[in-house]
Amino acid sequence: MTQERIRLRDYQDRIAGEAADRLSRLGICYLGMECRTGKTLTALSAAERTGARSVLFVSKLKALPSVRNDYAMLQPPYAMTAVNYESVHKVSGEWDLVILDEAHNLGQFPRPNQRARRLREICGGLPVLYLSGTPSPESYSQLYHQLWVCSFSPWRKYANFYRWARDGYVRVRQRMINGQQMNDWSDADAERIGRDIAPFLITWSQEESGFSSGIREHTVTVHMKPVTAELLHRLWHDRVAEIDGMAVLAANPATLLTKMHQISSGTVIAENGASIAFDDSKAIYIRDHFRGKTAVFYVYRQEEEMLKRVFPDWTDDPEEFQASDSKVFISQVRRAREGVRLDSADALVFLNLEYSYLSYEQGRNRLVSKERETPADVWFLCSDCGIERSILEAVHGKTDFTLSYYRRHAAR
């Protein structure tokens, strides 16, 4: 029995046509579509409309099953090679078009990362379609190396990031980092960059897609064991503490911040490399206060082990979780923040969180979908003695970098 070809939503159909036009005329297009608005199907349809016969699709590892499923449902006439960013150095072949999903992963600056270098080789002379719900999550400087991989970048005349930045695109500042005075390249000229990318940028928001349910954020204070507060106090005042006979040292401000981040959620890596879990209060709180289907994000490896002990019926497979009625989804936030669908969950809980707007924004959107009829409840657990609230405040302060794309679009 032949599977019926999926039909795109009206806005997906329209955007796919616009993207194909830009690819044909300019060789470059960027779909800045918010999470869960259907970027993948839109991109695959746009590729079909360009007349491509062979397409390379690059995404995150956990997103590849969903990408292949969308390809099967759309049934386009071209052949597709789907590969994750970590394996892009292994891929070889000839393609008519390259699609770079979650393209912000190429945004490292001032020097390009290895995956950007390899993709620049692959993409040479080919049209490139970029996809991201967060094109520049923390700085507009993150756009340079994303577009650098494409031969049709508006900034192709600049040999490298430094020349681009010094031509007025970035206001270079001095910052103290780990006790050293260093250049900060993050203060980019948003207006100038916006004008440069406007011809090939297409944005679309969840609101424009008709999402009826939003995200409800909740911040909860969890009372930790006395040992947690004591460790934090000792490390802050003495830069050294001891647990289970093992030393925990903070030789510089960066190490101090990392250790306090770990300790705040009940784990720490000692000076000898041992990972220690000493306070499972947050995991117990999740077990005792959340009913229904729950997804949990953690940051550090030892937090994972702690969660698995508290929740024996766990899974890290998003498809298994979506189909289950009882399993608890457990994942490191960076592994599951992109391309993973968890919208069958009743709640998403951040056991801990990173100093990353990308992890915050992409992570919490895992629960959102157009089909969801109830608001997505996202919970952030903050210890009563730690630094998580400060981290959350810092992350909230970075929202403008992404939201500005959709504000500009709505203003037009």
Side-chain angles (χ1 to χ4, degrees):
M1 183 175 179
T2 304
Q3 181 181 356
E4 185 178 352
R5 177 182 165 105
I6 192 172
R7 293 188 61 181
L8 274 63
R9 298 169 185 149
D10 289 345
Y11 71 83
Q12 290 176 304
D13 186 68
R14 184 176 67 257
I15 292 172
E18 293 175 3
D21 174 67
R22 285 163 173 76
L23 289 167
S24 298
R25 290 189 297 106
L26 306 173
I28 185 172
C29 181
Y30 204 126
L31 297 186
M33 299 173 67
E34 280 197 293
C35 296
R36 316 308 311 164
T37 56
K39 292 188 294 293
T40 303
L41 276 172
T42 304
L44 294 174
S45 180
E48 179 178 1
R49 299 174 198 213
T50 65
R53 292 171 295 176
S54 180
V55 174
L56 175 64
F57 196 111
V58 186
S59 188
K60 302 290 287 185
L61 180 62
K62 281 187 179 276
L64 292 182
S66 177
V67 171
R68 294 185 179 114
N69 183 59
D70 284 353
Y71 173 79
M73 290 192 298
L74 187 65
Q75 303 174 28
Y78 57 79
M80 182 185 75
T81 301
V83 65
N84 60 299
Y85 279 101
E86 291 74 18
S87 300
V88 74
H89 63 285
K90 302 176 184 177
V91 73
S92 61
E94 294 185 2
W95 299 282
D96 300 313
L97 171 69
V98 179
I99 300 175
L100 300 178
D101 189 23
E102 309 294 356
H104 51 264
N105 285 282
L106 303 172
Q108 179 178 303
F109 65 92
R111 295 184 179 88
N113 55 31
Q114 282 300 114
R115 62 186 64 170
R117 295 178 188 275
R118 173 58 180 144
L119 281 167
R120 182 175 168 89
E121 297 174 3
I122 292 173
C123 295
L126 298 177
V128 178
L129 177 57
Y130 296 86
L131 315 179
S132 179
T134 51
S136 55
E138 297 182 354
S139 166
Y140 289 102
S141 293
Q142 291 173 302
L143 286 168
Y144 177 82
H145 283 123
Q146 293 181 55
L147 305 188
W148 176 77
V149 307
C150 178
S151 301
F152 306 102
S153 166
W155 305 316
R156 56 188 175 274
K157 70 177 182 180
Y158 300 102
N160 53 50
F161 176 89
Y162 298 103
R163 293 189 180 181
W164 174 78
R166 289 185 171 123
D167 193 27
Y169 282 96
V170 177
R171 293 173 284 271
V172 185
R173 299 175 296 180
Q174 294 287 305
R175 284 183 59 195
M176 291 295 294
I177 301 176
N178 295 335
Q180 293 185 334
Q181 195 83 358
M182 301 183 70
N183 284 334
D184 178 357
W185 302 90
S186 63
D187 187 16
D189 187 336
E191 293 303 318
R192 185 178 178 187
I193 292 171
R195 289 193 298 270
D196 287 355
I197 67 177
F200 57 85
L201 174 66
I202 302 172
T203 63
W204 194 256
S205 68
Q206 292 178 354
E207 183 179 0
E208 290 170 303
S209 302
F211 280 50
S212 58
S213 60
I215 296 174
R216 294 188 301 204
E217 282 193 15
H218 312 269
T219 305
V220 175
T221 299
V222 177
H223 296 290
M224 307 296 285
K225 296 177 182 177
V227 63
T228 303
E230 184 178 348
L231 276 172
L232 288 168
H233 179 79
R234 287 183 180 176
L235 199 63
W236 176 256
H237 288 280
D238 303 331
R239 298 299 191 268
V240 61
E242 185 177 299
I243 183 169
D244 294 344
M246 290 175 276
V248 179
L249 303 180
N252 55 57
T255 304
L256 175 63
L257 187 63
T258 298
K259 297 300 181 184
M260 292 184 70
H261 189 193
Q262 295 170 2
I263 292 170
S264 295
S265 292
T267 72
V268 72
I269 299 177
E271 188 66 13
N272 64 2
S275 296
I276 307 167
F278 53 86
D279 190 346
D280 59 1
S281 298
K282 284 189 174 184
I284 297 298
Y285 182 93
I286 298 170
R287 185 195 67 188
D288 293 347
H289 289 81
F290 290 89
R291 298 292 180 264
K293 292 185 67 172
T294 305
V296 184
F297 284 162
Y298 64 87
V299 174
Y300 296 107
R301 175 62 61 86
Q302 196 58 36
E303 295 170 354
E304 175 187 21
E305 298 304 317
M306 182 170 63
L307 285 165
K308 288 178 179 178
R309 286 194 294 271
V310 174
F311 298 101
D313 191 21
W314 62 271
T315 181
D316 60 2
D317 183 335
E319 294 184 2
E320 182 182 4
F321 174 74
Q322 287 284 90
S324 168
D325 293 326
S326 59
K327 288 191 177 294
V328 174
F329 181 80
I330 295 174
S331 178
Q332 206 275 346
V333 62
R334 291 201 175 203
R335 289 207 300 264
R337 70 189 181 190
E338 296 157 337
V340 168
R341 186 170 182 174
L342 303 172
D343 60 323
S344 67
D346 297 305
L348 169 65
V349 184
F350 282 74
L351 178 97
N352 201 350
L353 61 154
E354 299 179 312
Y355 283 101
S356 166
Y357 179 74
L358 183 60
S359 290
Y360 160 79
E361 176 63 15
Q362 293 270 35
R364 72 192 194 118
N365 270 289
R366 296 309 94 203
L367 262 64
V368 176
S369 71
K370 196 173 187 300
E371 293 74 26
R372 190 181 184 106
E373 297 178 353
T374 59
D377 285 305
V378 179
W379 300 77
F380 298 94
L381 302 191
C382 299
S383 62
D384 57 353
C385 53
I387 64 172
E388 302 97 306
R389 285 186 183 273
S390 296
I391 296 173
L392 190 56
E393 289 173 5
V395 169
H396 279 157
K398 297 177 179 179
T399 58
D400 282 347
F401 290 117
T402 287
L403 295 183
S404 62
Y405 289 96
Y406 307 107
R407 290 188 188 126
R408 279 202 207 102
H409 183 90
R412 290 201 295 269

